[in-house]
Amino acid sequence: MEVLREKVEEEEEAEREEAAERAERAEKVERVTKPAEVSKEETIMTQDELRDLEGKLMAIEIPTPADHTTLSQAPIDVSKLPPSYTTNSLKEEHLLMVADNFSHQYSHLCPDRVPLFLHPLNECNVPKFVSTTLRPTLMPYPELYNWDSCAQFVSDFLTMVPLADPLKPPTHLYSSTTVLKCQKGNCFDFSTLLCSMLIGSGYDAYCVNGYGSQDLCLMDLTREVCPLTVKAKEIIKKKEKAVPKKYAIKPPRDLTSRFEQEQEEKRIQEIKDLEQKRLKEEEDRLLEAEKAKPDHLHGLRVHSWVLVLSGKREVPESFFIDPLTGRSYSTKDDHFLGIESLWNHKNYWINMQDCWNCCKDLIFDLGDPVRWEYMLLGTDKPHLSLTEEEEEGLDDDDEMEELGKEEEDKSFDMPSSWVSQIEITPEEFETRCPNGKKVIQYKRAQLEKWSPYLNNNGLVCRLTTYEDQQCTKVLEIKEWYQNREDMLELKHINKTTGLHVDYFKPGHPQALCVHSYKSMLPEMDRVMEFYKMIRVDGLVKREETPMTMTEYYQGRSDFLAYRHTNFGPRVKKLSQNSVESNPRPMVKITERFFRNPAKPADEDVAERVFLIAEERIQLRYHCRDDYITASKREFLRRMEVDSKGNKIIMTPDMCISYEVEPMEHTKKLLYQYETMIHLKNEEKLSRHQAWESELEVLEILKLREEEEEAHTLTISIYDTKRNEKSKEYREAMERVLHEEHLRQVEAQLDYLAPFLAQLPPGEKLTRWQAVRLKDECLSDFKQRLIDKANLIQARFEKETQELQKKQQWYQENQVTLTPEDEDLYLSYCSQAMFRIRILEQRLNRHKELAPLKYLALEEKLYKDPRLIDFVKVFV
């Protein structure tokens, strides 16, 4: 008791010295902040005015929403909680005393400030210090390693419950394990859980007790733009000006009137100014309509959020995280109106800076005792940031040693967290939202979230954008999918234009990437994009209209890059009504090719046009690097035979050509005839490929209709709960293994099984058979004991004889042995003696235990339920 009393006296003396230091710091703060207060006389109020304002604020009745249930009302089974939840350790009791003393000094030195939020009650109505409520935890999921994914998970997983009194911090602060179990909490519960996860992930994170705007405290995002609607800024590349060639052709003179051009530009500019003025007025009107109503409690609403300081995890700049929405804000954002205190798992700090300009002028240097008053000395607090001149002026060695000794005497380490290990099961991590669904209302947008596999079609997120503020006219809908067998990832529907755009992940049977359409009917406007280097034909994009089809290719062996097909009106046939049996007639096919480096430019076709209706074929070749024009040819494609059946001979007028550099072989009719025959075959092939493209479009549309109707979901083989086949196979294997294990156990324990097998199955034992079974079992066991003893004795004698022979050999050849032979002999003798000694011990042990084993088996046989009725008669 005397030792304990001395420790208490030492602690009280340390607390008195610490209180004196705080009083000196408070006087310094008053002297430092006094000039600033004099410069802001308009913002300073007298004590009477403050009392009047307080009376008016107390008279305001704050309606509490009836539909929100607080976390304290939720039933919590306290009996299943660990002892650390229901009691305080000696160190925690000491910490509470230090916190009370710190709070009394703070209230005495700063009577105008609100009481500190130090030790609220937990779910068991036990006071716990806020720093010990934090439990740093690194989650086992890689997705929860970064701050943005952690914040989004906390925002999605929990349901926000408003504070009972928006002007005061809560009286209860529950553990993160209880909050995760109930899946609801206030802003302080959100911050505690998020801060624990961030500290566990290596961030320098702190819980903040301060004041926020009405929208921030009530999680009102109706005046915020949805992050999913914000488009990324496109980087516009500046076009590089082409270097003018020395011998370039001069452009023609501009003969238009400059006066008329200036007048036209003025007229266009006036129209633009009027349009901009109208748009600005409309925007101002909408902003005025969207402007929030004045809040009578502005600057008084209590809120909690998370502060992440720069330094750790390569964070370049400090920022705030609102745990209710999971969004990050700058430390100078207008939503955050002031800070009272902040804490982590090691210490507690009070903000001593003026928040007249919200948090914009605050300096988050927690090592500065003038700006941030800390509670505990013995923790790893940040160091004060000093300039180079101040660092040079410090005398490091002596002063730091003296301060270190003083702090060691007064130090008090923060107790470990009383909260159990924070655990999130894979089912909870996958479900996320309460009951699997969550709805968030943004400015002119509504965001709906579902857990995977909750919807039969794989829908996990839907963003609905509206045209008006009242959210009555739908503008567009975006739907995100997961685990779809057809690899559908995103569906974008524009209600204004009626355009549907489907986005697919790699793995679709037709290698679809994007499908844009207004109708699923064939021969309508649509665009299909495919993944590159997956299709055999190299198709990357297909554009279709009622009368045209354009295809783009890459990586083909024939260097085809582009094919454009024009169709004519379909001929009506009574017997053939389907699209497949009655294709559209082709009027024109245009094909373009990449440059083939293996051919000369004059022989490498760049573009060929098949004018099917006009029976003409046009060719345009690639242009040489040192030329400005390219060679061209046009063939008049006539029938091979005329109406009378006579063959048509190739004539010079059937080929019109322009050659940049004429060659002799190109002028011959044979060359032209062979080229025309080759082009006829290519035309047939192109028409066939265009027809196959039409059929492929019909096949894709049919496949998409079947996929939308079925919307089958894929299940991983590792998902044993949803994969029925894997589950049934696993259960069957476990059942077989369990039965085999039971059979083996029964076979090992049943010492009568070999003897019972000799009897006829199903026959009831007689007295004579029972006695015979007992005698046979005992005699068999006795014989096995004797055999085992004989085996050990035989091995012992064998090892002894071999050792004697080796010793006799050594005596005979001792003179002629080399040192190596002697070493081998000694090694053999050592090993042989070890084996003999072990065999001797085993034999002696067997002789001691054999009678005991025999008696034990005899006793078991007397107590065996199958023999007990017959054996007792003879006993």
Side-chain angles (χ1 to χ4, degrees), residues 13-31:
E13 186 178 355
E15 290 176 358
R16 285 196 295 271
E17 293 178 358
E18 190 174 358
E21 290 181 1
R22 289 200 181 91
E24 293 178 0
R25 292 197 192 106
E27 292 177 1
K28 292 180 181 178
V29 171
E30 291 178 359
R31 290 195 297 270

Side-chain angles (χ1 to χ4, degrees), residues 785 788-790 792-793 796 839-853:
L785 292 176
K788 185 176 181 181
N790 293 333
I792 298 174
Q793 182 68 30
F796 176 78
L839 290 171
E840 184 180 3
Q841 292 177 0
R842 290 181 62 186
L843 183 60
N844 295 333
R845 181 175 176 80
H846 180 69
K847 291 179 180 180
E848 294 175 1
L849 296 179
L852 300 177
K853 291 180 180 180

Side-chain angles (χ1 to χ4, degrees), residues 577-594:
N577 297 324
S578 63
V579 178
E580 298 180 10
S581 58
N582 187 19
R584 295 174 290 179
M586 300 177 192
V587 178
K588 179 182 176 181
I589 298 178
T590 304
E591 294 179 341
R592 295 173 186 166
F593 298 85
F594 292 113

Side-chain angles (χ1 to χ4, degrees), residues 133 174-181 189 192-193 196 419 422:
T133 309
Y174 287 5
S175 63
S176 297
T177 54
T178 303
V179 172
L180 286 172
K181 186 177 181 181
D189 299 322
T192 302
L193 176 59
S196 299
V419 181
I422 300 176

Side-chain angles (χ1 to χ4, degrees), residues 48-60:
D48 297 336
E49 292 175 347
L50 288 173
R51 293 192 191 95
D52 295 340
L53 178 60
E54 184 178 0
K56 292 179 181 179
L57 293 174
M58 294 298 293
I60 298 175

Side-chain angles (χ1 to χ4, degrees), residues 471-608:
C471 298
T472 57
K473 298 180 181 179
V474 179
L475 191 61
E476 64 179 15
I477 299 175
K478 287 185 178 180
E479 295 177 346
W480 284 265
Y481 297 85
Q482 285 185 6
N483 306 311
R484 293 269 297 213
E485 196 175 56
D486 58 357
M487 297 300 171
L488 180 63
E489 184 178 21
L490 171 62
K491 183 178 290 186
H492 185 190
I493 305 172
N494 193 320
K495 291 293 185 179
T496 305
T497 60
L499 181 64
H500 294 63
V501 184
D502 298 342
Y503 297 87
F504 298 85
K505 294 189 293 185
H508 190 270
Q510 297 291 342
L512 264 179
C513 178
V514 182
H515 183 201
S516 307
Y517 59 94
K518 291 185 178 180
S519 174
M520 291 298 288
L521 296 175
E523 300 178 4
M524 301 294 291
D525 292 341
R526 73 181 69 258
V527 177
M528 294 182 181
E529 296 182 18
F530 303 88
Y531 281 99
K532 299 178 181 179
M533 308 303 294
I534 295 180
R535 291 178 59 104
V536 179
D537 57 357
L539 181 64
V540 296
K541 187 177 181 181
R542 177 185 287 132
E543 299 175 356
E544 187 181 10
T545 64
M547 301 302 294
T548 62
M549 179 185 290
T550 308
E551 295 174 321
Y552 301 87
Y553 297 89
Q554 281 187 5
R556 286 176 62 107
S557 58
D558 57 357
F559 296 92
L560 179 63
Y562 169 90
R563 180 187 288 127
H564 180 79
T565 308
N566 294 81
F567 299 97
R570 180 181 279 105
V571 179
K572 294 183 179 180
K573 295 182 180 181
L574 298 178
S575 59
Q576 298 176 350
N577 297 324
S578 63
V579 178
E580 298 180 10
S581 58
N582 187 19
R584 295 174 290 179
M586 300 177 192
V587 178
K588 179 182 176 181
I589 298 178
T590 304
E591 294 179 341
R592 295 173 186 166
F593 298 85
F594 292 113
R595 180 75 173 88
N596 185 1
K599 293 182 179 181
D602 293 338
E603 298 179 5
D604 189 12
V605 178
E607 181 184 62
R608 65 185 180 191

